[in-house]
Amino acid sequence: MIARSIAGALAGLLLFVSGAWGALALRYQLPGPPGLKLAGAVAWGAVYLGLIVAFIGWRSWWAPMCGVALLGLLIAWWTTIQPRNDRTWAGDVAQQLSGEVHGSHVTLHNVRDFTWRSDDDYDARWETRDYDLDHLVSADAVLSYWSSEAIAHAMLSFGFDDGRHIVFSMEIRREKGEAFSEVGGFFKQFELVLIAAEERDIIRVRTNVRGEDDYLFPLRMPRDAMRSLFLSYVDAANRLVHEPKFYNTITSNCTTIVYRMARRIDSGLPMDIRLLLTGYLPGYLRDNGALDTRYSVDEWRRLGRVTDRARASKPGDDFPAVIRQGVPPAVLPGESSSSGDSTLKPLASSADR
């Protein structure tokens, strides 16, 4: 009887979970207008509810088998849904980044440098930029909070000794007229796109146009690791051009992808819940040596908050310099700091919306 009860509970759970997943899958991916998608989800839910009633109320053992068969058909259809690069994209993700590497010289195509007045009103510029990695001097994590304390979009900004900065941001590739959805991110609603942009574009649009709250954290990273991570972004961009991928809210988001690229440099980086709850990423960075211990996480947040400085910036300002006012530069491994901690462990690799 115990075995039968356990088996029954598992079968009931399977029916419920597969029914819920199937309804959402149809809601987001069934071809046709929104009304048809909703009708398909409701019909699927009604069928599965009937199977649950038949199983629990009438002890009909054929109900789980019917559920499994229906689920198998749905999964077979689900596997036919493949990511694409040829949709009608929203303007800010319309172009794909690609790069060419020749020794220390990198040429990036389709670097975004928009001037934003609102989410729907901007001057669009996609440009080709050249960078010399021998002059790469800094890497900063940029977190943009748009929902809650636990939720932020993570970006990485690389700085060069001539004052230039380039930001890499892994984002959802929305179709024209499409809006972000956390739930849709589980159901192949969005492809991935890697954006490379000027800070005055990609940070300023979040602080000044979208009302987000942005923070900058200078990373304590050896220069060879910065270089390797920069090149891993270029490689990821080129791969997406030829092999499009879907965004996933859990497994393929802005931070988990950075983590995978960083693991190519240091395979010892630990997996951590803070890679999913990206609002808490600064604590992960500090625990793993990417933020030095001169300051607590709260102090880094206070010093690194760039929102007000970004909002006060004016056209023609040196935007990267403006937002870094008062932000202590990172003390890189092998360098010393008069303020303190010279025994920090080196980080070899640390590093949507």
Side-chain angles (χ1 to χ4, degrees):
M1 290 182 62
I2 293 176
R4 289 184 62 185
S5 297
I6 293 174
L10 290 175
L13 180 63
L14 173 64
L15 280 172
F16 175 79
V17 171
S18 60
W21 179 85
L24 288 169
L26 291 168
R27 164 64 181 81
Y28 284 99
Q29 289 298 333
L30 188 67
L36 181 60
K37 294 175 185 286
L38 181 60
V42 170
W44 177 273
V47 169
Y48 258 75
L49 180 61
L51 292 175
I52 292 174
V53 169
F55 174 68
I56 295 177
W58 304 336
R59 301 295 181 185
S60 302
W61 286 97
W62 52 264
M65 291 186 288
C66 288
V68 169
L70 288 173
L71 182 63
L73 291 173
L74 188 67
I75 291 174
W77 162 74
W78 184 255
T79 60
T80 67
I81 303 172
Q82 298 298 317
R84 295 164 49 184
N85 280 332
D86 60 349
R87 306 184 195 276
T88 304
W89 304 111
D92 59 326
V93 292
Q95 303 297 326
Q96 279 194 288
L97 175 70
S98 64
E100 303 171 39
V101 180
H102 303 284
S104 65
H105 295 274
V106 177
T107 299
L108 296 181
H109 303 285
N110 291 324
V111 174
R112 201 179 75 190
D113 187 13
F114 283 22
T115 299
W116 297 83
R117 289 173 292 274
S118 73
D119 257 335
D120 301 316
D121 182 14
Y122 48 78
D123 298 326
R125 289 185 299 273
W126 299 93
E127 301 183 350
T128 295
R129 301 285 174 82
D130 294 309
Y131 301 92
D132 187 344
L133 298 186
D134 288 341
H135 295 271
L136 179 61
V137 295
S138 68
D140 302 319
V142 182
L143 295 185
S144 189
Y145 290 78
W146 53 274
S147 178
S148 68
E149 181 182 349
I151 304 299
H153 178 70
M155 302 173 279
L156 204 65
S157 179
F158 291 93
F160 294 81
D161 58 12
D162 61 359
R164 292 194 302 163
H165 290 77
I166 185 73
V167 182
F168 290 101
S169 175
M170 194 69 77
E171 304 187 0
I172 63 168
R173 199 174 193 193
R174 308 178 328 279
E175 294 182 62
K176 195 170 184 178
E178 194 172 39
F180 175 72
S181 164
E182 292 94 337
V183 177
F186 289 101
F187 293 95
K188 299 184 178 182
Q189 185 175 4
F190 310 107
E191 275 82 3
L192 273 173
V193 64
L194 180 57
I195 297 293
E198 295 286 339
E199 288 187 339
R200 64 175 173 262
D201 169 339
I202 203 164
I203 294 178
R204 195 172 183 277
V205 68
R206 291 177 177 274
T207 56
N208 295 36
V209 173
R210 299 174 184 169
E212 300 180 15
D213 195 17
D214 282 30
Y215 296 76
L216 187 146
F217 300 92
L219 297 179
R220 187 175 186 270
M221 184 184 300
R223 297 185 195 277
D224 59 344
M226 292 181 200
R227 180 185 183 119
S228 184
L229 192 55
F230 190 104
L231 291 174
S232 71
Y233 271 108
V234 178
D235 179 63
N238 289 336
R239 286 178 179 270
L240 284 175
V241 171
H242 302 290
E243 301 174 13
K245 295 184 181 299
F246 281 119
Y247 170 91
N248 184 282
T249 303
I250 295 295
T251 62
S252 292
N253 60 45
C254 59
T255 310
T256 55
I257 290 170
V258 172
Y259 170 75
R260 290 192 196 115
M261 289 189 292
R263 288 264 301 182
R264 294 168 54 182
I265 310 166
D266 180 5
S267 60
L269 280 178
M271 194 64 184
D272 193 291
I273 188 62
R274 290 171 291 186
L275 294 170
L276 302 178
L277 301 176
T278 48
Y280 302 125
L281 186 62
Y284 175 86
L285 297 175
R286 191 175 186 275
D287 290 347
N288 288 281
L291 286 176
D292 66 45
T293 55
R294 288 178 294 166
Y295 306 102
S296 68
V297 170
D298 287 341
E299 288 172 320
W300 275 117
R301 287 185 185 278
R302 178 179 60 82
L303 294 167
R305 185 171 184 265
V306 304
T307 304
D308 292 337
R309 295 190 287 272
R311 289 174 180 169
S313 67
K314 297 184 173 50
D317 285 350
D318 184 347
F319 187 82
V322 168
I323 65 173
R324 284 173 174 78
Q325 292 174 6
V327 182
V331 178
L332 303 185
E335 299 179 358
S336 62
S337 168
S338 58
S339 59
D341 191 347
S342 61
T343 60
L344 303 171
K345 63 180 180 179
L347 178 77
S349 67
S350 179
D352 137 82
R353 199 169 62 95

